[in-house]
Each structure stands twice: as C-alpha cells, then as structure tokens.
Amino acid sequence: NVGGCGLGFEGFARLIASSHLQNLKVLQAQNNSIGDMGIEALLMTPALKSLEELHLTESREGRYEEDPVITGQGLERLATWPGLSQIRSLTLDGNNLSDAGVNALLHSPHIGNLKSLSLAETGLHSTAIESFANAGFRAKLEDLNLSGNWLNGAGMSYLAKAKCLEDLKVLKIHRCELRPDDARDLWEAKFISTVRMMNAAHNYFGSEGLITLLEAKPKELHTLLMQNNSLDSEGIASLASSPASNSLLDLDLSLNRLDSLSMQALTNAEQLQHLRILKVSHCTQSEEVRDELQNSPLGKRLAVLEMDLSIPF
C-alpha cells in the first residue's frame, strides 16, 4: 500500500518497474496524482505479472486543480493493457473519466477476469452507463460501485439490461440523484435475484421506490442501505409487512423522517424475521417510541439497534 505517498507519475513509474514486484497481487496507489502518464507507465512495465487488484483512486477533497488525474483518454489506454487480463478488482474512484473511456474499458478484450469495478465520483452521467448495456465482453461483474455519479434518467434502465451484471452481488449507487422511476427500472433487472448488498443511500427513491423493490422479491438481499431517501410511513408499513423483507439481515433507514406511524409499524412488524441490525438514527422519534421499539419482538431479536433522537435537519 503506497496510498497518499506523493509518488506522482515518475515515482509510480519507478515503483512498478521494480523486478521485486513480480509476485505482487494487490497494488494500492490511491491519492498519488499519477494521471494519464501513470497509465502509460503501466503499459510499458514488464513487471506486475501476478497483479490481481489495482486501486488508483484520487480524492476530490483537498486536491489542487492542477493535480493530474486519470482522464477518459487514460482509461482508453488502460483498456489496451494486456495486464488487465489478470485483474479481478479495479478501482478508479475520483478520477475524471468520460463516456468514451468507460466504453473502451467495457469493450476491452482483456477484462475477462474482472469481478469488481469501482467508478465512484468520476463525473459520469447516464449516457456512460449505456456502455454496460451494449458491452459484449466476457466478464461477469459481481461488485459494482457507481456512487456519486449523475445516473438519473436512462442510467438505471441501461444497468437493468446489462448482461455483464446478471451475476451481480454488490451494488453501490448512493448519491446518484435517483428517483422513483429510476428505482422501478433498477428493480426490474435480472440481477435483483442475485444481489446481496445494496447501498442506495442519499437518493430520492421514496416509499414508492422501496415498495417496488419489495414487489421484486430480492431473495438474496441481506444488506439494504436506504438512508436519506424520503421514506415515509407507507413505505415502512410495507417493509414491515412484506415477506420479501425476511431476507434482510442489515437495514439502515437513518435520516428519513419516520413519524410515529412508521415507528409503530416497525414495533409491530410481522416480517423482518431475520433482521439483526437496524439503524433508524436521526429520524423523528420520541423516547417513548424508542422504548417501545426496543422492547418489541423485533427489538429483542436484534443484535444492533441504533437510534438517535437528534434530528439534523
């Protein structure tokens, strides 16, 4: 791990050229401002023959305007790197990517073994996600992070059609400006039957989006993060009464304005039978409502119940 070491392009190039890295499997070189020149160095190195995980994240906080980052052009060059053929996990968060760059990566002949792809906060829009639907590559992604990109509109429809996501197990789409219509497109995807963990926090799905998810019956889904999603009593009542919620082990409903009816629905929940972690912090609660939930059948079988009476709105 050489994250945050200020390597720059030249230091990164010297590092990856070392013959001592022949057996290296994981390279974490985040926050080093390697830019597109760092990608060129990757293309030229004869080392890194055993590399399976590559982390080239750049932080968007505290970064100077002139600090180099990987651009769409650099991603297009990365797509031509034969070394990608052994990469199983690729993280490019915080770089300044483009539709053309993502398209080139997803059509690369070298990503047949890729299982995990993280492109959070890379300036993508829904048009970039069309590449997932059109890509005819061999890889079957199991973990995808698109958080912090503007994906509302057609973005979720494209994801739902993507054959490369049919075996998806982890999906992170928090802070993507998603609304109920986007949720409806997403829940119709084939991977809803295989996804196990979903982080959809800080969107605008609302109760309509949550109810549509329950109707899709995601049988493998055990972790659902829905903080700050404009949820109300209608959605919570459906959650508490739907048999589809029984797969859940970890549920985060924090930062939603859950009124007394919402909390009462959780207190009297007939479902959520296997839930072990429930977070309802920063929701509208009284001490009385909190005590009722803690002493309810649901509250007593929970391993973790997080409730904070403060309301940061």
Side-chain angles (χ1 to χ4, degrees):
N1 187 338
V2 292
C5 291
L7 293 177
F9 151 65
E10 293 181 350
F12 180 73
R14 289 195 297 270
L15 172 69
I16 62 175
S18 171
S19 60
H20 300 293
L21 301 183
Q22 295 286 340
N23 296 318
L24 186 71
K25 292 185 178 297
V26 180
L27 175 57
Q28 297 183 351
Q30 61 272 25
N31 302 324
N32 277 291
S33 299
I34 67 169
D36 290 347
M37 293 298 291
I39 301 301
E40 293 298 331
L42 272 176
L43 268 62
M44 293 186 291
T45 181
L48 302 178
K49 293 182 178 180
S50 301
L51 194 65
E52 296 180 357
E53 297 184 24
L54 179 60
H55 302 257
L56 299 176
T57 295
E58 292 293 344
S59 174
R60 287 184 172 269
E61 295 184 6
R63 188 173 75 201
Y64 292 106
E65 186 72 22
E66 61 271 19
D67 288 344
V69 295
I70 300 169
T71 69
Q73 184 176 0
L75 189 54
E76 290 183 62
R77 291 289 291 149
L78 181 64
T80 69
W81 180 42
L84 273 179
S85 61
Q86 65 215 19
I87 298 296
R88 296 177 59 84
S89 176
L90 178 62
T91 303
L92 298 169
D93 300 348
N95 288 285
N96 189 21
L97 307 182
S98 67
D99 295 6
V102 172
N103 186 66
L105 176 67
L106 295 177
H107 284 85
S108 169
H110 305 301
I111 58 171
N113 288 316
L114 191 66
K115 296 298 182 184
S116 176
L117 177 62
S118 188
L119 303 175
E121 297 187 24
T122 49
L124 302 180
H125 291 73
S126 59
T127 51
I129 308 307
E130 186 174 3
S131 300
F132 284 88
N134 296 334
F137 67 102
R138 299 185 304 277
K140 293 292 186 180
L141 293 178
E142 297 181 358
D143 187 332
L144 177 63
N145 185 359
L146 295 172
S147 300
N149 293 295
W150 193 285
L151 303 184
N152 64 346
M156 294 301 99
S157 177
Y158 291 139
L159 282 186
K161 299 173 183 177
K163 292 184 178 181
C164 62
L165 302 180
E166 290 182 354
D167 295 332
L168 196 67
K169 295 177 174 59
V170 177
L171 178 62
K172 299 174 184 176
I173 47 172
H174 58 280
R175 300 186 187 278
C176 288
E177 300 291 328
L178 301 175
R179 301 181 182 278
D181 287 346
D182 302 309
R184 188 175 299 109
D185 289 335
L186 183 62
W187 308 151
E188 292 176 355
K190 287 185 178 181
F191 60 72
I192 284 300
S193 64
T194 63
V195 71
R196 299 174 183 177
M197 184 275 184
M198 184 180 300
N199 184 349
H202 302 287
N203 285 298
Y204 305 96
F205 282 157
S207 289
E208 180 182 346
L210 178 58
I211 291 171
T212 306
L213 170 62
L214 295 170
E215 292 173 348
K217 300 178 181 178
K219 59 183 180 180
E220 300 292 334
L221 185 64
H222 59 66
T223 299
L224 178 61
L225 310 182
M226 292 286 286
Q227 308 100 300
N228 192 23
N229 256 288
S230 304
L231 301 179
D232 59 22
S233 58
E234 182 182 7
I236 303 305
S238 296
L239 181 70
S241 61
S242 172
S245 70
N246 285 330
S247 67
L248 293 174
L249 300 176
D250 187 342
L251 175 63
D252 196 338
L253 302 173
S254 301
L255 293 168
N256 288 287
R257 290 187 178 275
L258 305 187
D259 58 15
S260 58
L261 290 177
S262 303
M263 301 307 293
Q264 195 63 44
L266 291 173
T267 298
N268 298 326
E270 298 178 359
Q271 308 300 333
L272 296 168
Q273 291 294 321
H274 298 102
L275 196 66
R276 293 298 176 263
I277 300 173
L278 175 61
K279 300 177 182 178
V280 286
S281 295
H282 305 306
C283 298
T284 304
Q285 308 161 10
S286 67
E287 291 189 8
E288 181 180 358
V289 169
R290 180 185 62 183
D291 292 342
E292 288 180 356
L293 180 55
Q294 287 177 329
N295 294 320
S296 69
L298 171 61
K300 289 180 179 178
R301 65 174 176 263
L302 291 173
V304 176
L305 174 58
E306 288 190 7
M307 302 179 71
D308 188 332
L309 297 183
S310 62
I311 313 297
F313 292 108

